Amino acid sequence: MTESRTMSLAEIEDLSFRALVAAGTSEANARPLAVATAATEADGVASHGLAYIPIYAEHVQCGKVDGQAAPVLTRPRPGVVAVDAATGFAHSAIDIGFEALIPAAREQGIAVLAIRNSYNCGVLGYHTTRLARAGLVGLGFTNAPASIAPSGGSKPVVGTNPFSVAVPGEDGEPELLIDQSASTIAKSEVMKHAREGKEIPLGWALDANGNPTTDPDAGLKGSMAPSGGYKGVGVALLTEIMAAALTGATLGINASPFSGTAGGPPKTGQMFIAIDPAATANDAFGAGMAGIVEAVRGQAGAHLPGDGRRAKRLQARRDGVAVSVATLARIEALLG
């Protein structure tokens, strides 16, 4: 069993912040990433939490991401917010983008945020959840370096390319949160198994010859398995259009890997759409959502997407989070 230590969310945020700053990240860029790391651990998505801090630090030090970057915001149209992340962390670009996106959506009923020259944005649902907490329906798309081969092919052309939808609830938390990649499992999970020397389940990845494999290293050299076969490829292509083609970001087939130190900044992109439900459905939105929720939760054993994260989040706020001691050792080494 992996040895762990319980930490509060405040302690996780503080440790993440100090490690990022020690690696050469500005405080302005380190803080939103540290906040997101703590929130990710609270949601139980450990593969994108503290385990990523040493990778972020390595990428700052090798130049894959500019820890001192200052994202630039423009307003090309009344309903469009655009941010050039300047090869820095996505979280800083999203932060300044949301400051303009949220009021624009409230004023106009709908608005979009297009981010280019960006980096891995972590858990996409973390960002759409913020829109839901602002009373908006949030849709998010982010492209990634190519790791999924097209139907009938063997060479990856699109990334795992997650999309997310978050719907506001009465208690300030999302009533429903869909957050899923186009692959059967997030690539970070395969990377985590590779780091830990563990086999992966069949169905997660394919080797370079297109055959199912339980070897995570072979899967990382081959292709991630698309969720639902050709349907998963379709989702990946949709996200590529939204997050790369429509933002002016680098296509996944041309982006450097999020792992390792080679290739320079990936310059990928994100797209967020924020909708004020009062502008499109008036009072009918609440009734419609109530009907959906009741139809699902009214069935024994059934649950809505996002229910698991909500439960873990509430427990983490109360009891803290169990964190791998090995991960903590790697982070503490960054602090000397």
Side-chain angles (χ1 to χ4, degrees):
M1 180 179 292
T2 302
E3 186 181 359
S4 63
R5 190 174 93 200
T6 299
M7 298 179 68
S8 70
L9 299 184
E11 289 172 330
I12 292 173
E13 179 183 335
D14 177 67
L15 178 62
S16 301
F17 176 78
R18 290 188 291 112
L20 289 165
V21 170
T25 308
S26 70
E27 293 190 359
N29 288 329
R31 182 58 66 188
L33 186 50
V35 171
T37 298
T40 297
E41 287 285 350
D43 282 359
V45 192
S47 61
H48 286 68
L50 279 172
Y52 240 104
I53 293 297
I55 299 173
Y56 292 146
E58 180 183 52
H59 287 178
V60 169
Q61 293 167 340
C62 76
K64 189 176 278 286
V65 59
D66 183 357
Q68 300 291 321
V72 178
L73 183 147
T74 56
R75 295 294 299 272
R77 303 286 173 86
V80 178
V81 179
V83 177
D84 186 333
T87 73
F89 285 112
H91 296 70
S92 304
I94 293 170
D95 261 17
I96 69 165
F98 277 9
E99 289 177 5
L101 176 70
I102 291 172
R106 287 172 174 163
E107 178 181 356
Q108 300 175 150
I110 184 170
V112 303
L113 167 61
I115 298 175
R116 63 182 181 275
N117 292 328
S118 186
Y119 177 79
N120 187 341
C121 73
V123 176
L124 186 60
Y126 163 74
H127 304 289
T128 56
T129 289
R130 294 173 60 193
L131 296 177
R133 286 173 176 157
L136 305 169
V137 174
L139 291 84
F141 306 87
T142 181
N143 79 317
S147 58
I148 294 179
S151 300
S154 58
K155 180 181 178 181
V157 295
V158 286
T160 53
N161 289 11
F163 78 92
S164 178
V165 181
V167 178
E170 294 182 357
D171 63 353
E173 292 296 320
E175 186 70 70
L176 182 151
L177 172 63
I178 299 171
D179 184 9
Q180 62 190 64
S181 65
S183 56
T184 300
I185 196 76
K187 188 174 183 179
S188 60
E189 290 289 349
V190 178
M191 293 167 61
K192 182 173 182 288
H193 277 65
R195 288 196 301 270
E196 296 173 354
K198 298 178 180 177
E199 289 190 342
I200 57 174
L202 279 174
W204 278 20
L206 310 174
D207 64 21
N209 296 317
N211 299 313
T213 180
T214 60
D215 182 346
D217 292 315
L220 292 172
K221 294 175 182 177
S223 169
M224 296 296 295
S227 177
Y230 72 91
K231 294 183 179 181
V233 175
V235 169
L237 289 169
L238 167 64
T239 299
E240 194 77 5
I241 293 167
M242 299 297 294
L246 277 173
T247 65
T250 299
L251 296 176
I253 197 169
N254 297 321
S256 66
F258 284 153
S259 59
T261 59
K267 300 182 180 180
T268 47
Q270 291 85 34
M271 171 74 83
F272 293 94
I273 304 172
I275 304 170
D276 184 349
T280 60
N282 297 314
D283 295 335
F285 177 75
M289 283 305 304
I292 294 172
V293 170
E294 182 179 350
V296 175
R297 292 198 175 127
Q299 296 187 39
H303 64 274
L304 286 168
D307 281 352
R309 290 191 191 180
R310 177 196 288 254
K312 289 176 181 176
R313 188 182 311 133
L314 293 174
Q315 181 178 0
R317 289 171 180 170
R318 183 183 67 244
D319 302 329
V321 178
V323 177
S324 163
V325 168
T327 295
L328 290 176
R330 288 194 293 271
I331 296 172
E332 288 165 356
L334 296 171
L335 299 171

